[in-house]
Amino acid sequence: MSTSPESTHPSVRVADAVSRLRSAGERVTPARYAVLRVVDAADLGDEHLTAEQIGARVAEVEPAVHRATVYRTLTALVETGVLSHVHLGGSATVYHLTVGGVARSAASVATEVDAPAPHHRHEHGHAHVQCHVCGRVLDVAPDVFDEAAARLRADLGFTLDTGHAALLGTCRDCAPSPT
């Protein structure tokens, strides 16, 4: 089954990404289209997929696309601003589809504020936290970090980028019970 733009009806988010690629003079290959659809579905399901997981899912919908092509495609789509990536603990990197230049998961759309916080890079509509015990990744509104970002800016002149890497901690399910 082919996932080319001519054979299926893309979601609005995928259609937007395809339009932005074409406007930038980029080709929309079967590999790029398959990656966009996989990442879009993951975002809508509040999943955080690594390149390896994206490659496995692309192989299911577009078996002719080689795994190395998926990796090159991810890099190219990040460089063009159609995808964004977030570094998680343990060297994992996960990807999100950007919409109008802003990465959004279903959860972040519901909690997003109109204007991003000054410390927050504009291509991300949410930040991430990750439990270092179970590995669970949670989307959080970037304004959660406003106080810490303001203090870092005032004390050190440091501008925090909450969209590029997840902060590590312990989720409520893995936290030790109070004694």
Side-chain angles (χ1 to χ4, degrees):
M1 176 176 164
S2 176
T3 57
S4 68
E6 295 76 26
S7 66
T8 61
H9 300 289
S11 74
V12 172
R13 292 161 37 101
V14 171
D16 173 68
V18 166
S19 175
R20 287 187 290 135
L21 282 171
R22 288 187 174 141
S23 293
E26 296 287 331
R27 292 180 29 210
V28 181
T29 64
R32 287 182 175 191
Y33 193 71
V35 166
L36 291 172
R37 290 178 52 106
V38 165
V39 173
D40 182 44
D43 284 350
L44 294 173
D46 286 329
E47 294 180 277
H48 299 85
L49 299 182
T50 64
E52 184 175 322
Q53 292 167 320
I54 292 167
R57 291 190 188 182
V58 165
E60 293 173 9
V61 297
E62 199 65 62
V65 175
H66 191 272
R67 180 107 15 158
T69 302
V70 171
Y71 289 107
R72 286 191 305 273
T73 298
L74 288 168
T75 299
L77 293 176
V78 168
E79 288 173 355
T80 60
V82 174
L83 292 182
S84 66
H85 66 277
V86 177
H87 300 282
L88 303 179
S91 303
T93 300
V94 297
Y95 296 84
H96 288 292
L97 183 65
T98 63
V99 179
V102 178
R104 292 185 173 103
S105 70
S108 69
V109 170
T111 60
E112 189 172 275
V113 293
D114 291 339
H119 65 279
H120 191 256
R121 290 179 51 186
H122 293 278
E123 68 267 14
H124 297 283
H126 62 277
H128 297 85
V129 295
Q130 181 181 20
C131 178
H132 67 89
V133 176
C134 69
R136 184 174 174 205
V137 178
L138 302 166
D139 294 344
V140 298
D143 64 347
V144 166
F145 302 110
D146 282 352
E147 189 175 323
R151 183 161 179 193
L152 287 168
R153 197 170 30 258
D155 293 354
L156 304 172
F158 184 84
T159 302
L160 184 62
D161 177 2
T162 60
H164 193 74
L167 291 178
L168 299 177
T170 307
C171 72
R172 75 172 63 122
D173 294 338
C174 295
S177 301
T179 54

